[in-house]
Amino acid sequence: MMSSLWRKKAITSSTPPSTGLKRIFGTWQLIAIGVGVTIGAGLFSLTGVASGLYAGPAIPLAFLIAAVAASFAGLCYAELAGMIPSGGSAYSYAYAALGELVAWIIGWDLILEYTVSTAAVASSWSGYMTSFLRDWGIVIDPRLLHPPMTLVELPDGHMAHAWFNAPCLFILWLVTIMLTRGMKESGRMNSLIVGIKVCVLVGMIVACIPHVQLAHFHPFIPPNGGHYGEFGFSGVMRAAGMAFLAYIGFDIVSTAAQDTKNPQRSMPFAILGSQIICAIVYVIFSAVLVGVVDYHHFANDPSPVATVMDVVNLPWLSLLIKGGICLGYVSVIYGLLMGQSRILMSMSQDGLLPAFFRRMNSRSHTPVPSHMLSFLVSGLLACCLPINILANMASIGTLTAFAIVCAGVIALRFTAPDAPRTFRLPGGPLLIPSLGIISCGSVMLSMSLITWMRLIVWLAIGAVIYFAYSIRHSQLRTDSRPASCHSERP
């Protein structure tokens, strides 16, 4: 059994065999997915929370630190995506480079990452949609807009405990239905939505620049409040840790290999292109945000752009931008739910999860059961947990995946030096991957103890599932048995 823990999948640069998915994505559609996911909750929501609780006006610096650390991982993803053109993202790369046990750990970690990221985005969408509807005179009962037991003020002035965040379920259901109708139609819709979202960003930046007050940037890094992570440089690092949720986009791109016409060529270009675009947008946008509104007003604010537009006081533009953001969130949830289903499919094809997760709808050629399960779990989390908890859980999962991908590049440079690579890291096999591991590890160490405990509990649950089910049903273990010993797997 011990030897099977480190069994590796063979590396092949050929197009992976058909899984029932249609290959419809080209390079620009992949970039649209990467940009669509990356320019989402991290920009429209976490910018406010991270500045209000941790970094203050230094939030652009936090996003820049996160971008530098993510760029090392992005380069490593690009090399492995061109080398191993299969779905599953970091899970598939770890399976080929580091063995089955590490692959399971990262696959289980990615399930956490995508699930809580989807929930965090849905929670942020709820805040923007509520603000958008309020501008039209439609007021939703506040007890249906917050996690359970949160104290809210009712229209009559009385205080009451919230029930759950209901709008989250609506947007998650809408995007799930969109995905189950087929990737060609939903891919076109996603590209259109991303275009609208970029126009909204440009419009908001242009409108807000005249309202930027330099006084809001002093002091640039507020003094530490007496505890690690409460402002000061430790607060900037903690904000950078939360900001890693923003850079999940290129990870999503790498899950789409089985939906892509020419993954060896398209995926490295799409990963690097989407990352560069989004890093520039994040730094500029976050600087404008804290320049218009004092960062103290952003603590626990899930919709800071709505707050900023209220200060700018251009009702017609505010309405247009809030509506555009609400629509733009669809592309974020689209990418996350798509990536989640591809991870589940890849693990199921390898026997580490039951066959249920790779069942395809005969008409739409989409994994409808996986989409529905992802909707249910993400919806439950979005309804019941506050966004700061969800964001930190997603970020530590993302950082873990990035670090393991960097380690995978080093391993494969020595164990498979002659394998074809359509993109090769500059600087040799150690420089950039080592910087990626160090930078991701540094940001992880800045995260709170409770965030670490949640990750450890999740991985412990995963260990139980692996040793109880996955190790006995692994496709590699089944294929390695003598023919007379094979039995049909359920």
Side-chain angles (χ1 to χ4, degrees):
M1 178 180 288
M2 289 300 296
S3 62
S4 66
L5 298 179
W6 310 108
R7 187 175 288 127
K8 300 176 183 177
K9 294 181 70 173
I11 298 173
T12 174
S13 60
S14 61
T15 301
S18 175
T19 58
L21 296 170
K22 290 184 177 181
R23 296 187 176 277
I24 52 92
F25 291 149
T27 302
W28 291 107
Q29 287 171 305
L30 288 176
I31 290 178
I33 291 173
V35 172
V37 174
T38 305
I39 299 179
L43 194 68
F44 298 136
S45 179
L46 297 187
T47 307
V49 175
S51 63
L53 296 179
Y54 306 124
I59 186 62
L61 176 61
F63 276 114
L64 185 60
I65 291 172
V68 171
S71 67
F72 298 134
L75 288 166
C76 293
Y77 266 87
E79 175 166 313
L80 293 180
M83 181 182 178
I84 309 171
S86 62
S89 180
Y91 159 77
S92 295
Y93 308 152
Y95 216 153
L98 303 170
E100 184 172 288
L101 179 60
V102 178
W104 168 264
I105 292 172
I106 197 59
W108 189 245
D109 172 77
L110 287 171
I111 292 172
L112 170 70
E113 175 188 338
Y114 290 157
T115 302
V116 296
S117 295
T118 303
V121 174
S123 178
S124 179
W125 180 88
S126 175
Y128 279 105
M129 179 54 70
T130 301
S131 178
F132 178 71
L133 293 176
R134 190 184 303 118
D135 290 342
W136 286 93
I138 302 172
V139 179
I140 302 175
D141 190 323
R143 289 171 292 188
L144 293 172
L145 300 175
H146 299 276
M149 304 309 294
T150 303
L151 277 176
V152 296
E153 184 177 356
L154 300 179
D156 61 6
H158 289 86
M159 302 299 293
H161 289 290
W163 298 330
F164 62 95
N165 195 335
C168 296
L169 290 176
F170 171 76
I171 188 61
L172 289 172
W173 175 252
L174 180 68
V175 178
T176 299
I177 295 302
M178 177 178 163
L179 281 163
T180 58
R181 291 182 62 85
M183 294 308 299
K184 186 174 183 179
E185 293 79 7
S186 60
R188 289 173 177 170
M189 180 63 70
N190 179 69
S191 298
L192 175 62
I193 291 172
V194 171
I196 294 173
K197 181 159 56 176
V198 170
C199 292
V200 167
L201 278 174
V202 173
M204 182 193 160
I205 291 173
V206 171
C208 288
I209 286 176
H211 299 270
V212 170
Q213 300 181 41
L214 295 181
H216 289 164
F217 291 98
H218 181 77
F220 185 64
I221 301 179
N224 183 264
H227 299 281
Y228 184 90
E230 292 184 4
F231 304 108
F233 189 73
S234 65
V236 174
M237 291 299 294
R238 182 157 290 179
M242 179 180 283
F244 260 86
L245 170 60
Y247 293 102
I248 195 176
F250 65 80
D251 187 272
I252 298 292
V253 170
S254 67
T255 68
Q258 294 170 333
D259 302 86
T260 303
K261 298 173 185 176
N262 187 353
Q264 294 97 322
R265 182 183 65 84
S266 296
M267 293 182 68
F269 185 85
I271 288 170
L272 297 177
S274 61
Q275 188 179 21
I276 292 170
I277 293 169
C278 295
I280 295 171
V281 169
Y282 266 102
V283 172
I284 296 174
F285 189 87
S286 60
V288 170
L289 217 64
V290 294
V292 174
V293 175
D294 186 278
Y295 71 91
H296 293 97
H297 296 289
F298 287 139
N300 297 313
D301 182 357
S303 49
V305 176
T307 302
V308 168
M309 293 313 299
D310 289 341
V311 171
V312 172
N313 195 27
L314 292 173
W316 65 271
L317 183 61
S318 175
L319 197 63
L320 184 64
I321 287 178
K322 290 177 186 177
I325 289 174
C326 290
L327 181 62
Y329 266 70
V330 172
S331 66
V332 186
I333 299 174
Y334 171 90
L336 290 169
L337 287 177
M338 186 198 72
Q340 173 78 299
S341 68
R342 297 325 185 247
I343 295 294
L344 293 171
M345 278 188 63
S346 294
M347 296 179 73
S348 177
Q349 288 160 4
D350 293 332
L352 303 186
L353 288 176
F356 167 85
F357 294 101
R358 62 178 182 270
R359 281 185 196 154
M360 306 292 292
N361 182 275
S362 59
R363 289 192 300 175
S364 64
H365 299 278
T366 58
V368 173
S370 290
H371 284 312
M372 290 301 174
L373 182 62
S374 297
F375 158 71
L376 291 173
V377 177
S378 299
L380 179 64
L381 293 175
C383 287
C384 299
L385 291 179
I387 191 170
N388 60 317
I389 292 178
L390 295 169
N392 281 317
M393 290 171 64
S395 292
I396 198 168
T398 305
L399 285 160
T400 304
F402 287 178
I404 291 179
V405 166
C406 293
V409 169
I410 296 174
L412 286 175
R413 282 293 188 94
F414 290 99
T415 60
D418 299 324
R421 292 169 169 85
T422 57
F423 173 83
R424 184 179 289 267
L425 285 175
L430 294 177
L431 178 61
I432 289 177
S434 297
L435 289 173
I437 294 171
I438 292 169
S439 57
C440 291
S442 300
V443 178
M444 289 177 73
L445 290 175
S446 72
M447 305 190 79
S448 65
L449 179 61
I450 188 64
T451 301
W452 275 96
M453 291 303 298
R454 293 185 185 112
L455 176 64
I456 291 170
V457 169
W458 178 254
L459 294 178
I461 294 171
V464 172
I465 296 173
Y466 177 74
F467 287 105
Y469 176 87
S470 303
I471 195 171
R472 295 187 293 110
H473 294 81
S474 167
Q475 185 67 52
L476 289 186
R477 185 169 184 259
T478 302
D479 292 346
S480 67
R481 294 175 182 169
S484 60
C485 296
H486 281 189
S487 60
E488 185 177 351
R489 293 191 298 121

